[in-house]
Amino acid sequence: MNIGDKVRLVHGREEGVIYAFLPGNIVEIEIEDGFRIPVLRNEIVTISPVESQRLVKSSDSKKIGVQSDVIASRPAAFAEKGIYMAFVSVNDRALTLHLINNSDWTLPFTAIAIQENVSTGLAAGVLLPRTSQKLTELQMKDFEAWPVFEFKMLYFRDGNYTLPQALAKRIKCRAQSFYKNKGKAPVLNKEAFVYQLDEESLKKEEIVVSENLSNDLKMSMMGGGDKQAIVVEKPQQVVDLHIEKLTAKNSGLSNDAILKIQLAAFESNLELAIANGMEEITFIHGTGSGVLRSELHRRLGKNQHVEYYKDAQKEKFGYGATLVKIK
């Protein structure tokens, strides 16, 4: 036996290392917890190197045990689909069009706008996985004249894979169904009107006749409204609110009834003008007692979509008309 040898007690469980040899055939042993104990030499036996190697408690043994209980997470499945076009509202009059790649493919692409057989390039390049690209900005008031949007894409990824067929889509937006596509755009994480280009139910060429912009489209852009398609007609640039211009059945009507009809026509035409993106509209209210003019001005002053209003063309209408400038 030598100092530093690993030993075990013959009549006990303790193990330790020989620290010193003392008189009287006594051996001082330092056990695992750091204490030193005197033991008769014949009460200990040495532990062979091979046995010591086998019995030594690994400092990582607990970690290994814990790790054996951990379920390794599987890598996420490769996203085969997730290509979108999205119209994001800038304000109540304009939208931006984006191409979104929410798949794991790398997409070489071209995007063009087709109008009256004339093609206009919007963008071309490579759209990386989980990215988007802004293509253009559009005005709500021009909805009926929006072009057909055409997209062509190839698929690419590193390694071995089954190559899908190239994607080619043409989309013509319809007002009647446009608002139904409202939702959160992937990648952008914004509220938008979204079309999935690689959806199987979407025809390769969705060329349809454009309809008038619905009031629900306008309200949906602002975050509300019923989902019923209502055709919004564009009002005249100048609206005459004289009662004989609004209804043929005006004889015998009280002043209150006439005012009610006139205000209803005013509100309706103003909303139509806002929904169609008109820059201005003029209301002829006459001079008279000034009640209609005062009420129109009061309501215009509270309307958030009105930039300003003023007397319109005094040389033509005198003080009997109001020009409304829409934001």
Side-chain angles (χ1 to χ4, degrees), residues 78-86 98-107 127-132 153 155 167 184-188 194-200:
F78 187 89
E80 297 282 347
K81 294 188 176 183
I83 305 171
Y84 303 86
M85 61 180 288
H98 300 257
L99 181 61
I100 299 172
N101 180 14
N102 194 38
S103 74
D104 287 326
W105 295 106
T106 297
L107 303 174
L127 199 58
L128 298 176
R130 317 295 176 177
T131 62
S132 66
M153 302 177 197
Y155 293 87
L167 178 68
K184 184 154 288 188
V187 179
L188 296 175
V194 183
Y195 291 80
Q196 184 169 354
L197 300 179
D198 58 353
E199 188 176 25
E200 292 182 0

